[in-house]
PDB file of all heavy atoms in Angstrom:
ATOM      1  N   ASN A 711      -6.606 -15.912  16.557  1.00 88.00           N
ATOM      2  CA  ASN A 711      -5.987 -17.067  15.910  1.00 88.00           C
ATOM      3  C   ASN A 711      -6.695 -17.428  14.608  1.00 88.00           C
ATOM      4  O   ASN A 711      -6.056 -17.803  13.625  1.00 88.00           O
ATOM      5  CB  ASN A 711      -5.945 -18.261  16.852  1.00 88.00           C
ATOM      6  CG  ASN A 711      -4.939 -18.069  17.966  1.00 88.00           C
ATOM      7  OD1 ASN A 711      -3.951 -17.343  17.823  1.00 88.00           O
ATOM      8  ND2 ASN A 711      -5.189 -18.707  19.104  1.00 88.00           N
ATOM      9  N   VAL A 712      -8.019 -17.297  14.583  1.00 89.00           N
ATOM     10  CA  VAL A 712      -8.782 -17.556  13.358  1.00 89.00           C
ATOM     11  C   VAL A 712      -8.390 -16.542  12.283  1.00 89.00           C
ATOM     12  O   VAL A 712      -8.174 -16.899  11.123  1.00 89.00           O
ATOM     13  CB  VAL A 712     -10.303 -17.510  13.636  1.00 89.00           C
ATOM     14  CG1 VAL A 712     -11.103 -17.502  12.349  1.00 89.00           C
ATOM     15  CG2 VAL A 712     -10.722 -18.671  14.519  1.00 89.00           C
ATOM     16  N   VAL A 713      -8.295 -15.279  12.673  1.00 90.00           N
ATOM     17  CA  VAL A 713      -7.921 -14.233  11.719  1.00 90.00           C
ATOM     18  C   VAL A 713      -6.524 -14.494  11.169  1.00 90.00           C
ATOM     19  O   VAL A 713      -6.297 -14.425   9.958  1.00 90.00           O
ATOM     20  CB  VAL A 713      -8.004 -12.835  12.371  1.00 90.00           C
ATOM     21  CG1 VAL A 713      -7.396 -11.769  11.474  1.00 90.00           C
ATOM     22  CG2 VAL A 713      -9.451 -12.501  12.710  1.00 90.00           C
ATOM     23  N   LYS A 714      -5.587 -14.810  12.028  1.00 91.00           N
ATOM     24  CA  LYS A 714      -4.212 -15.075  11.582  1.00 91.00           C
ATOM     25  C   LYS A 714      -4.178 -16.243  10.599  1.00 91.00           C
ATOM     26  O   LYS A 714      -3.538 -16.164   9.546  1.00 91.00           O
ATOM     27  CB  LYS A 714      -3.299 -15.369  12.771  1.00 91.00           C
ATOM     28  CG  LYS A 714      -1.847 -15.627  12.349  1.00 91.00           C
ATOM     29  CD  LYS A 714      -0.952 -15.949  13.510  1.00 91.00           C
ATOM     30  CE  LYS A 714       0.459 -16.194  13.011  1.00 91.00           C
ATOM     31  NZ  LYS A 714       1.337 -16.679  14.067  1.00 91.00           N
ATOM     32  N   ALA A 715      -4.893 -17.307  10.910  1.00 91.00           N
ATOM     33  CA  ALA A 715      -4.916 -18.475  10.028  1.00 91.00           C
ATOM     34  C   ALA A 715      -5.573 -18.135   8.691  1.00 91.00           C
ATOM     35  O   ALA A 715      -5.102 -18.559   7.632  1.00 91.00           O
ATOM     36  CB  ALA A 715      -5.645 -19.626  10.707  1.00 91.00           C
ATOM     37  N   THR A 716      -6.642 -17.357   8.754  1.00 90.00           N
ATOM     38  CA  THR A 716      -7.355 -16.989   7.527  1.00 90.00           C
ATOM     39  C   THR A 716      -6.483 -16.134   6.612  1.00 90.00           C
ATOM     40  O   THR A 716      -6.447 -16.341   5.404  1.00 90.00           O
ATOM     41  CB  THR A 716      -8.652 -16.217   7.874  1.00 90.00           C
ATOM     42  OG1 THR A 716      -9.488 -17.062   8.656  1.00 90.00           O
ATOM     43  CG2 THR A 716      -9.394 -15.790   6.619  1.00 90.00           C
ATOM     44  N   LEU A 717      -5.775 -15.183   7.195  1.00 92.00           N
ATOM     45  CA  LEU A 717      -4.967 -14.263   6.402  1.00 92.00           C
ATOM     46  C   LEU A 717      -3.622 -14.863   5.987  1.00 92.00           C
ATOM     47  O   LEU A 717      -2.994 -14.362   5.059  1.00 92.00           O
ATOM     48  CB  LEU A 717      -4.759 -12.960   7.176  1.00 92.00           C
ATOM     49  CG  LEU A 717      -6.054 -12.190   7.474  1.00 92.00           C
ATOM     50  CD1 LEU A 717      -5.768 -10.986   8.344  1.00 92.00           C
ATOM     51  CD2 LEU A 717      -6.762 -11.792   6.197  1.00 92.00           C
ATOM     52  N   GLY A 718      -3.188 -15.906   6.672  1.00 92.00           N
ATOM     53  CA  GLY A 718      -1.950 -16.591   6.297  1.00 92.00           C
ATOM     54  C   GLY A 718      -0.690 -15.770   6.501  1.00 92.00           C
ATOM     55  O   GLY A 718       0.284 -15.919   5.775  1.00 92.00           O
ATOM     56  N   TYR A 719      -0.694 -14.922   7.509  1.00 92.00           N
ATOM     57  CA  TYR A 719       0.454 -14.077   7.782  1.00 92.00           C
ATOM     58  C   TYR A 719       1.631 -14.866   8.353  1.00 92.00           C
ATOM     59  O   TYR A 719       1.448 -15.840   9.081  1.00 92.00           O
ATOM     60  CB  TYR A 719       0.095 -12.999   8.811  1.00 92.00           C
ATOM     61  CG  TYR A 719      -0.779 -11.890   8.294  1.00 92.00           C
ATOM     62  CD1 TYR A 719      -1.691 -11.287   9.141  1.00 92.00           C
ATOM     63  CD2 TYR A 719      -0.685 -11.412   6.997  1.00 92.00           C
ATOM     64  CE1 TYR A 719      -2.498 -10.239   8.712  1.00 92.00           C
ATOM     65  CE2 TYR A 719      -1.481 -10.371   6.551  1.00 92.00           C
ATOM     66  CZ  TYR A 719      -2.376  -9.795   7.412  1.00 92.00           C
ATOM     67  OH  TYR A 719      -3.165  -8.760   6.985  1.00 92.00           O
ATOM     68  N   THR A 720       2.837 -14.386   8.059  1.00 93.00           N
ATOM     69  CA  THR A 720       4.020 -14.873   8.756  1.00 93.00           C
ATOM     70  C   THR A 720       3.959 -14.298  10.174  1.00 93.00           C
ATOM     71  O   THR A 720       3.179 -13.382  10.452  1.00 93.00           O
ATOM     72  CB  THR A 720       5.316 -14.378   8.086  1.00 93.00           C
ATOM     73  OG1 THR A 720       5.370 -12.949   8.198  1.00 93.00           O
ATOM     74  CG2 THR A 720       5.391 -14.801   6.625  1.00 93.00           C
ATOM     75  N   ASP A 721       4.798 -14.803  11.056  1.00 92.00           N
ATOM     76  CA  ASP A 721       4.825 -14.273  12.424  1.00 92.00           C
ATOM     77  C   ASP A 721       5.168 -12.784  12.433  1.00 92.00           C
ATOM     78  O   ASP A 721       4.570 -12.007  13.178  1.00 92.00           O
ATOM     79  CB  ASP A 721       5.813 -15.056  13.291  1.00 92.00           C
ATOM     80  CG  ASP A 721       5.305 -16.457  13.616  1.00 92.00           C
ATOM     81  OD1 ASP A 721       4.076 -16.690  13.505  1.00 92.00           O
ATOM     82  OD2 ASP A 721       6.131 -17.314  13.972  1.00 92.00           O
ATOM     83  N   ALA A 722       6.101 -12.367  11.591  1.00 95.00           N
ATOM     84  CA  ALA A 722       6.485 -10.953  11.536  1.00 95.00           C
ATOM     85  C   ALA A 722       5.318 -10.097  11.027  1.00 95.00           C
ATOM     86  O   ALA A 722       5.038  -9.021  11.580  1.00 95.00           O
ATOM     87  CB  ALA A 722       7.713 -10.771  10.639  1.00 95.00           C
ATOM     88  N   GLN A 723       4.648 -10.560   9.982  1.00 95.00           N
ATOM     89  CA  GLN A 723       3.491  -9.822   9.477  1.00 95.00           C
ATOM     90  C   GLN A 723       2.395  -9.741  10.539  1.00 95.00           C
ATOM     91  O   GLN A 723       1.743  -8.711  10.699  1.00 95.00           O
ATOM     92  CB  GLN A 723       2.928 -10.495   8.215  1.00 95.00           C
ATOM     93  CG  GLN A 723       3.822 -10.373   7.009  1.00 95.00           C
ATOM     94  CD  GLN A 723       3.341 -11.259   5.874  1.00 95.00           C
ATOM     95  OE1 GLN A 723       2.864 -12.377   6.084  1.00 95.00           O
ATOM     96  NE2 GLN A 723       3.480 -10.752   4.652  1.00 95.00           N
ATOM     97  N   TRP A 724       2.221 -10.835  11.262  1.00 94.00           N
ATOM     98  CA  TRP A 724       1.184 -10.881  12.288  1.00 94.00           C
ATOM     99  C   TRP A 724       1.456  -9.854  13.384  1.00 94.00           C
ATOM    100  O   TRP A 724       0.560  -9.156  13.833  1.00 94.00           O
ATOM    101  CB  TRP A 724       1.061 -12.283  12.860  1.00 94.00           C
ATOM    102  CG  TRP A 724      -0.001 -12.417  13.901  1.00 94.00           C
ATOM    103  CD1 TRP A 724       0.166 -12.741  15.204  1.00 94.00           C
ATOM    104  CD2 TRP A 724      -1.405 -12.205  13.725  1.00 94.00           C
ATOM    105  NE1 TRP A 724      -1.037 -12.758  15.854  1.00 94.00           N
ATOM    106  CE2 TRP A 724      -2.030 -12.430  14.962  1.00 94.00           C
ATOM    107  CE3 TRP A 724      -2.204 -11.849  12.649  1.00 94.00           C
ATOM    108  CZ2 TRP A 724      -3.395 -12.309  15.155  1.00 94.00           C
ATOM    109  CZ3 TRP A 724      -3.565 -11.727  12.832  1.00 94.00           C
ATOM    110  CH2 TRP A 724      -4.157 -11.964  14.081  1.00 94.00           C
ATOM    111  N   GLU A 725       2.694  -9.771  13.812  1.00 94.00           N
ATOM    112  CA  GLU A 725       3.040  -8.808  14.856  1.00 94.00           C
ATOM    113  C   GLU A 725       2.820  -7.377  14.366  1.00 94.00           C
ATOM    114  O   GLU A 725       2.327  -6.533  15.111  1.00 94.00           O
ATOM    115  CB  GLU A 725       4.480  -9.021  15.331  1.00 94.00           C
ATOM    116  CG  GLU A 725       4.669 -10.301  16.123  1.00 94.00           C
ATOM    117  CD  GLU A 725       3.698 -10.438  17.294  1.00 94.00           C
ATOM    118  OE1 GLU A 725       3.494  -9.454  18.043  1.00 94.00           O
ATOM    119  OE2 GLU A 725       3.122 -11.538  17.460  1.00 94.00           O
ATOM    120  N   THR A 726       3.151  -7.114  13.115  1.00 96.00           N
ATOM    121  CA  THR A 726       2.903  -5.788  12.547  1.00 96.00           C
ATOM    122  C   THR A 726       1.404  -5.506  12.503  1.00 96.00           C
ATOM    123  O   THR A 726       0.947  -4.426  12.890  1.00 96.00           O
ATOM    124  CB  THR A 726       3.506  -5.683  11.133  1.00 96.00           C
ATOM    125  OG1 THR A 726       4.916  -5.898  11.220  1.00 96.00           O
ATOM    126  CG2 THR A 726       3.229  -4.330  10.504  1.00 96.00           C
ATOM    127  N   TRP A 727       0.634  -6.497  12.054  1.00 95.00           N
ATOM    128  CA  TRP A 727      -0.823  -6.348  11.972  1.00 95.00           C
ATOM    129  C   TRP A 727      -1.407  -6.068  13.351  1.00 95.00           C
ATOM    130  O   TRP A 727      -2.218  -5.166  13.514  1.00 95.00           O
ATOM    131  CB  TRP A 727      -1.423  -7.610  11.357  1.00 95.00           C
ATOM    132  CG  TRP A 727      -2.892  -7.527  11.112  1.00 95.00           C
ATOM    133  CD1 TRP A 727      -3.515  -7.123   9.966  1.00 95.00           C
ATOM    134  CD2 TRP A 727      -3.942  -7.872  12.033  1.00 95.00           C
ATOM    135  NE1 TRP A 727      -4.882  -7.186  10.123  1.00 95.00           N
ATOM    136  CE2 TRP A 727      -5.166  -7.637  11.383  1.00 95.00           C
ATOM    137  CE3 TRP A 727      -3.963  -8.341  13.335  1.00 95.00           C
ATOM    138  CZ2 TRP A 727      -6.387  -7.871  11.990  1.00 95.00           C
ATOM    139  CZ3 TRP A 727      -5.187  -8.574  13.945  1.00 95.00           C
ATOM    140  CH2 TRP A 727      -6.381  -8.332  13.276  1.00 95.00           C
ATOM    141  N   LYS A 728      -0.988  -6.849  14.350  1.00 93.00           N
ATOM    142  CA  LYS A 728      -1.514  -6.697  15.712  1.00 93.00           C
ATOM    143  C   LYS A 728      -1.114  -5.374  16.357  1.00 93.00           C
ATOM    144  O   LYS A 728      -1.787  -4.905  17.275  1.00 93.00           O
ATOM    145  CB  LYS A 728      -1.059  -7.852  16.614  1.00 93.00           C
ATOM    146  CG  LYS A 728      -1.845  -9.113  16.396  1.00 93.00           C
ATOM    147  CD  LYS A 728      -1.625 -10.178  17.448  1.00 93.00           C
ATOM    148  CE  LYS A 728      -0.439 -10.076  18.309  1.00 93.00           C
ATOM    149  NZ  LYS A 728      -0.241 -11.174  19.257  1.00 93.00           N
ATOM    150  N   SER A 729      -0.042  -4.762  15.882  1.00 95.00           N
ATOM    151  CA  SER A 729       0.406  -3.503  16.488  1.00 95.00           C
ATOM    152  C   SER A 729      -0.493  -2.329  16.096  1.00 95.00           C
ATOM    153  O   SER A 729      -0.381  -1.260  16.685  1.00 95.00           O
ATOM    154  CB  SER A 729       1.856  -3.203  16.100  1.00 95.00           C
ATOM    155  OG  SER A 729       1.941  -2.849  14.733  1.00 95.00           O
ATOM    156  N   ASN A 730      -1.387  -2.536  15.141  1.00 94.00           N
ATOM    157  CA  ASN A 730      -2.323  -1.486  14.738  1.00 94.00           C
ATOM    158  C   ASN A 730      -3.602  -1.645  15.564  1.00 94.00           C
ATOM    159  O   ASN A 730      -4.355  -2.593  15.370  1.00 94.00           O
ATOM    160  CB  ASN A 730      -2.633  -1.614  13.243  1.00 94.00           C
ATOM    161  CG  ASN A 730      -3.587  -0.550  12.756  1.00 94.00           C
ATOM    162  OD1 ASN A 730      -4.305   0.083  13.529  1.00 94.00           O
ATOM    163  ND2 ASN A 730      -3.609  -0.367  11.441  1.00 94.00           N
ATOM    164  N   PRO A 731      -3.866  -0.733  16.500  1.00 91.00           N
ATOM    165  CA  PRO A 731      -5.033  -0.873  17.376  1.00 91.00           C
ATOM    166  C   PRO A 731      -6.356  -0.945  16.611  1.00 91.00           C
ATOM    167  O   PRO A 731      -7.299  -1.591  17.053  1.00 91.00           O
ATOM    168  CB  PRO A 731      -5.002   0.375  18.261  1.00 91.00           C
ATOM    169  CG  PRO A 731      -3.692   1.017  18.039  1.00 91.00           C
ATOM    170  CD  PRO A 731      -3.097   0.463  16.790  1.00 91.00           C
ATOM    171  N   ARG A 732      -6.416  -0.319  15.462  1.00 88.00           N
ATOM    172  CA  ARG A 732      -7.656  -0.347  14.672  1.00 88.00           C
ATOM    173  C   ARG A 732      -7.975  -1.775  14.228  1.00 88.00           C
ATOM    174  O   ARG A 732      -9.133  -2.176  14.200  1.00 88.00           O
ATOM    175  CB  ARG A 732      -7.519   0.589  13.461  1.00 88.00           C
ATOM    176  CG  ARG A 732      -8.776   0.715  12.655  1.00 88.00           C
ATOM    177  CD  ARG A 732      -9.861   1.438  13.464  1.00 88.00           C
ATOM    178  NE  ARG A 732     -11.073   1.501  12.665  1.00 88.00           N
ATOM    179  CZ  ARG A 732     -12.286   1.251  13.115  1.00 88.00           C
ATOM    180  NH1 ARG A 732     -12.469   0.969  14.376  1.00 88.00           N
ATOM    181  NH2 ARG A 732     -13.320   1.310  12.341  1.00 88.00           N
ATOM    182  N   ASN A 733      -6.969  -2.542  13.887  1.00 90.00           N
ATOM    183  CA  ASN A 733      -7.206  -3.935  13.492  1.00 90.00           C
ATOM    184  C   ASN A 733      -7.860  -4.720  14.628  1.00 90.00           C
ATOM    185  O   ASN A 733      -8.767  -5.519  14.406  1.00 90.00           O
ATOM    186  CB  ASN A 733      -5.905  -4.613  13.063  1.00 90.00           C
ATOM    187  CG  ASN A 733      -5.402  -4.098  11.743  1.00 90.00           C
ATOM    188  OD1 ASN A 733      -6.171  -3.566  10.936  1.00 90.00           O
ATOM    189  ND2 ASN A 733      -4.114  -4.244  11.509  1.00 90.00           N
ATOM    190  N   LEU A 734      -7.395  -4.483  15.838  1.00 89.00           N
ATOM    191  CA  LEU A 734      -7.960  -5.192  16.992  1.00 89.00           C
ATOM    192  C   LEU A 734      -9.395  -4.752  17.255  1.00 89.00           C
ATOM    193  O   LEU A 734     -10.235  -5.566  17.634  1.00 89.00           O
ATOM    194  CB  LEU A 734      -7.077  -4.983  18.217  1.00 89.00           C
ATOM    195  CG  LEU A 734      -5.639  -5.496  18.062  1.00 89.00           C
ATOM    196  CD1 LEU A 734      -4.824  -5.177  19.308  1.00 89.00           C
ATOM    197  CD2 LEU A 734      -5.611  -6.975  17.737  1.00 89.00           C
ATOM    198  N   GLU A 735      -9.695  -3.474  17.021  1.00 85.00           N
ATOM    199  CA  GLU A 735     -11.072  -2.997  17.156  1.00 85.00           C
ATOM    200  C   GLU A 735     -11.985  -3.682  16.146  1.00 85.00           C
ATOM    201  O   GLU A 735     -13.120  -4.036  16.464  1.00 85.00           O
ATOM    202  CB  GLU A 735     -11.129  -1.478  16.948  1.00 85.00           C
ATOM    203  CG  GLU A 735     -10.523  -0.670  18.059  1.00 85.00           C
ATOM    204  CD  GLU A 735     -10.499   0.812  17.720  1.00 85.00           C
ATOM    205  OE1 GLU A 735     -11.363   1.276  16.943  1.00 85.00           O
ATOM    206  OE2 GLU A 735      -9.611   1.509  18.233  1.00 85.00           O
ATOM    207  N   ILE A 736     -11.492  -3.850  14.933  1.00 85.00           N
ATOM    208  CA  ILE A 736     -12.285  -4.514  13.891  1.00 85.00           C
ATOM    209  C   ILE A 736     -12.579  -5.954  14.293  1.00 85.00           C
ATOM    210  O   ILE A 736     -13.703  -6.430  14.159  1.00 85.00           O
ATOM    211  CB  ILE A 736     -11.571  -4.444  12.529  1.00 85.00           C
ATOM    212  CG1 ILE A 736     -11.561  -2.997  12.035  1.00 85.00           C
ATOM    213  CG2 ILE A 736     -12.240  -5.364  11.507  1.00 85.00           C
ATOM    214  CD1 ILE A 736     -10.668  -2.758  10.836  1.00 85.00           C
ATOM    215  N   VAL A 737     -11.572  -6.637  14.821  1.00 87.00           N
ATOM    216  CA  VAL A 737     -11.771  -8.028  15.253  1.00 87.00           C
ATOM    217  C   VAL A 737     -12.849  -8.101  16.332  1.00 87.00           C
ATOM    218  O   VAL A 737     -13.645  -9.043  16.365  1.00 87.00           O
ATOM    219  CB  VAL A 737     -10.447  -8.658  15.730  1.00 87.00           C
ATOM    220  CG1 VAL A 737     -10.678 -10.009  16.385  1.00 87.00           C
ATOM    221  CG2 VAL A 737      -9.492  -8.826  14.548  1.00 87.00           C
ATOM    222  N   ASP A 738     -12.924  -7.093  17.170  1.00 86.00           N
ATOM    223  CA  ASP A 738     -13.968  -7.061  18.203  1.00 86.00           C
ATOM    224  C   ASP A 738     -15.371  -7.068  17.602  1.00 86.00           C
ATOM    225  O   ASP A 738     -16.329  -7.458  18.263  1.00 86.00           O
ATOM    226  CB  ASP A 738     -13.821  -5.831  19.096  1.00 86.00           C
ATOM    227  CG  ASP A 738     -12.703  -5.964  20.110  1.00 86.00           C
ATOM    228  OD1 ASP A 738     -12.292  -7.110  20.395  1.00 86.00           O
ATOM    229  OD2 ASP A 738     -12.234  -4.921  20.611  1.00 86.00           O
ATOM    230  N   HIS A 739     -15.500  -6.642  16.351  1.00 84.00           N
ATOM    231  CA  HIS A 739     -16.810  -6.536  15.696  1.00 84.00           C
ATOM    232  C   HIS A 739     -17.036  -7.574  14.598  1.00 84.00           C
ATOM    233  O   HIS A 739     -18.064  -7.516  13.918  1.00 84.00           O
ATOM    234  CB  HIS A 739     -16.980  -5.135  15.110  1.00 84.00           C
ATOM    235  CG  HIS A 739     -17.008  -4.066  16.148  1.00 84.00           C
ATOM    236  ND1 HIS A 739     -18.141  -3.751  16.864  1.00 84.00           N
ATOM    237  CD2 HIS A 739     -16.037  -3.250  16.614  1.00 84.00           C
ATOM    238  CE1 HIS A 739     -17.867  -2.788  17.711  1.00 84.00           C
ATOM    239  NE2 HIS A 739     -16.598  -2.472  17.594  1.00 84.00           N
ATOM    240  N   ILE A 740     -16.103  -8.497  14.444  1.00 83.00           N
ATOM    241  CA  ILE A 740     -16.210  -9.464  13.349  1.00 83.00           C
ATOM    242  C   ILE A 740     -17.532 -10.227  13.387  1.00 83.00           C
ATOM    243  O   ILE A 740     -18.162 -10.428  12.353  1.00 83.00           O
ATOM    244  CB  ILE A 740     -15.000 -10.431  13.336  1.00 83.00           C
ATOM    245  CG1 ILE A 740     -13.832  -9.747  12.651  1.00 83.00           C
ATOM    246  CG2 ILE A 740     -15.333 -11.744  12.654  1.00 83.00           C
ATOM    247  CD1 ILE A 740     -12.594 -10.581  12.504  1.00 83.00           C
ATOM    248  N   GLY A 741     -17.964 -10.627  14.542  1.00 83.00           N
ATOM    249  CA  GLY A 741     -19.225 -11.364  14.643  1.00 83.00           C
ATOM    250  C   GLY A 741     -20.408 -10.555  14.136  1.00 83.00           C
ATOM    251  O   GLY A 741     -21.322 -11.098  13.512  1.00 83.00           O
ATOM    252  N   GLU A 742     -20.384  -9.255  14.363  1.00 88.00           N
ATOM    253  CA  GLU A 742     -21.472  -8.382  13.914  1.00 88.00           C
ATOM    254  C   GLU A 742     -21.513  -8.254  12.401  1.00 88.00           C
ATOM    255  O   GLU A 742     -22.586  -8.074  11.816  1.00 88.00           O
ATOM    256  CB  GLU A 742     -21.311  -6.989  14.526  1.00 88.00           C
ATOM    257  CG  GLU A 742     -21.444  -6.957  16.037  1.00 88.00           C
ATOM    258  CD  GLU A 742     -21.032  -5.603  16.597  1.00 88.00           C
ATOM    259  OE1 GLU A 742     -21.496  -4.581  16.065  1.00 88.00           O
ATOM    260  OE2 GLU A 742     -20.234  -5.601  17.544  1.00 88.00           O
ATOM    261  N   LEU A 743     -20.359  -8.338  11.755  1.00 87.00           N
ATOM    262  CA  LEU A 743     -20.301  -8.166  10.302  1.00 87.00           C
ATOM    263  C   LEU A 743     -21.174  -9.187   9.580  1.00 87.00           C
ATOM    264  O   LEU A 743     -21.781  -8.883   8.555  1.00 87.00           O
ATOM    265  CB  LEU A 743     -18.851  -8.278   9.808  1.00 87.00           C
ATOM    266  CG  LEU A 743     -17.883  -7.221  10.323  1.00 87.00           C
ATOM    267  CD1 LEU A 743     -16.464  -7.539   9.861  1.00 87.00           C
ATOM    268  CD2 LEU A 743     -18.291  -5.839   9.881  1.00 87.00           C
TER     269      LEU A 743
END
């Protein structure tokens, strides 16, 4: 939810973004960045 708010995606863009498994892997490491 923080990522979605930060990026300002529409719902359609968000669903497209979430459908990429690599994006979800990156979110898993956001705290480490």
Side-chain angles (χ1 to χ4, degrees):
N711 289 333
V712 169
V713 170
K714 181 181 180 187
T716 299
L717 297 175
Y719 287 147
T720 64
D721 288 340
Q723 290 170 323
W724 181 243
E725 290 307 315
T726 300
W727 185 92
K728 282 192 342 183
S729 71
N730 181 341
R732 185 67 182 136
N733 289 337
L734 300 177
E735 289 175 28
I736 291 169
V737 171
D738 283 340
H739 296 278
I740 279 183
E742 295 170 48
L743 297 174

